[in-house]
Amino acid sequence: MNPTRYLITKSTQILKFVGFLATYIVAESVFEIAGQYIKDPLSARHLLGLALVLIAGALALIGWRYGKQLAANNPRHFGRRHPTAKRIAQLLWIFILMTAIQILWQWLIANHVLTTPSNQQAVEAAEVKMPMWNIFFGGILAPIFEELIFRGIFMNYFFNKDNRLNNLLAVIVSGSLFGFAHEMSFDLTWIMYSALGCCLSFAYMHFRDIRYSIALHMMNNLIP
């Protein structure tokens, strides 16, 4: 590929990635706005209905794009890997590592080294207003969206060569970007989010099946 064509391709991919991320944010924002109208049930129902339609459309679009992307170029042979006892055990070990990171994080907050992230405060506030809907969104829908975008789309757009260095960079950069999406400052809180993101990126790269990183993300969000 000549330099001009390469730049055009990568610029287009960047725009597409930002577009998919914006689509997710818009759908999520309408869902959050519905919680602001909890004292007006009729408006809340209308906004919630609109949010669910947007979420369904956004999920269908991103999932379709991920499938088309793999069909066009899939050097790592991502696909469906049948769960085995070994793979499940490996997934649980990654989850244990993520749990250890969470425990360390909570210890740092309890000892006033860190404060509760603003992202987590917003999640907890939303759960108070619409508990079941927000648990469903945060525990089920958000992991699917975020894995498709930060792992499936991002890693295959920008790190699509199957070699050790490229795979390592894919895990680190995807995890770091995931951290930045949850914490806008490059501080210890960002490092914690990025560490969790790297665990999810590693799971996707290791199992070569996005269902495993989605399952891991759901476990991380739901079990606590």
Side-chain angles (χ1 to χ4, degrees):
M1 185 181 295
N2 63 56
T4 302
R5 186 177 177 184
Y6 177 81
L7 287 174
I8 292 173
T9 299
K10 289 305 172 185
S11 298
T12 303
Q13 288 174 338
I14 290 171
L15 290 174
K16 286 181 179 179
F17 174 76
V18 172
F20 292 134
L21 187 57
T23 300
Y24 168 49
I25 291 172
V26 169
E28 181 185 30
S29 297
V30 175
F31 187 85
E32 291 176 355
I33 291 170
Q36 304 299 321
Y37 288 84
I38 196 65
K39 293 182 180 180
D40 183 358
L42 183 60
S43 297
R45 283 197 297 269
H46 289 163
L47 284 168
L48 185 58
L50 175 61
L52 292 176
V53 170
L54 291 174
I55 288 168
L59 195 56
L61 172 65
I62 295 169
W64 170 81
R65 180 61 246 177
Y66 175 64
K68 292 287 287 184
Q69 178 180 297
L70 291 185
N73 185 22
N74 187 13
R76 297 189 184 96
H77 305 291
F78 287 110
R80 293 178 178 270
R81 301 287 187 269
H82 182 70
T84 63
K86 181 179 179 180
R87 287 175 181 149
I88 292 172
Q90 291 172 338
L91 190 71
L92 289 175
W93 276 114
I94 301 172
F95 176 67
I96 289 171
L97 174 59
M98 293 180 72
T99 301
I101 294 170
Q102 296 274 28
I103 291 171
L104 172 61
W105 197 348
Q106 291 303 316
W107 182 85
L108 291 171
I109 291 172
N111 286 274
H112 308 293
V113 178
L114 292 174
T115 58
T116 302
S118 56
N119 177 75
Q120 184 60 32
Q121 292 177 26
V123 169
E124 292 172 357
E127 286 178 357
V128 171
K129 295 173 182 175
M130 296 193 303
M132 294 308 299
W133 279 110
N134 279 284
I135 289 172
F136 174 68
F137 184 87
I140 304 295
L141 295 178
I144 297 174
F145 270 112
E146 292 179 3
E147 291 310 302
L148 285 171
I149 293 171
F150 289 104
R151 253 60 68 182
I153 300 292
F154 180 82
M155 292 172 73
N156 289 296
Y157 266 177
F158 305 111
F159 298 93
N160 60 348
K161 293 182 179 178
D162 189 17
N163 59 63
R164 184 171 298 178
L165 177 60
N166 201 65
N167 293 344
L168 178 62
L169 287 174
V171 169
I172 294 172
V173 176
S174 174
S176 300
L177 185 64
F178 178 81
F180 186 68
H182 291 79
E183 174 61 45
M184 301 297 285
S185 301
F186 292 100
D187 53 16
L188 190 53
T189 298
W190 169 76
I191 291 174
M192 291 297 180
Y193 273 121
S194 297
L196 294 175
C198 285
C199 290
L200 294 167
S201 299
F202 173 79
Y204 178 56
M205 189 65 68
H206 176 72
F207 295 108
R208 306 292 169 107
D209 184 341
I210 201 165
R211 294 177 302 168
Y212 287 86
S213 61
I214 289 174
L216 188 63
H217 201 151
M218 287 180 179
M219 291 163 62
N220 181 72
N221 284 18
L222 280 173
I223 290 178

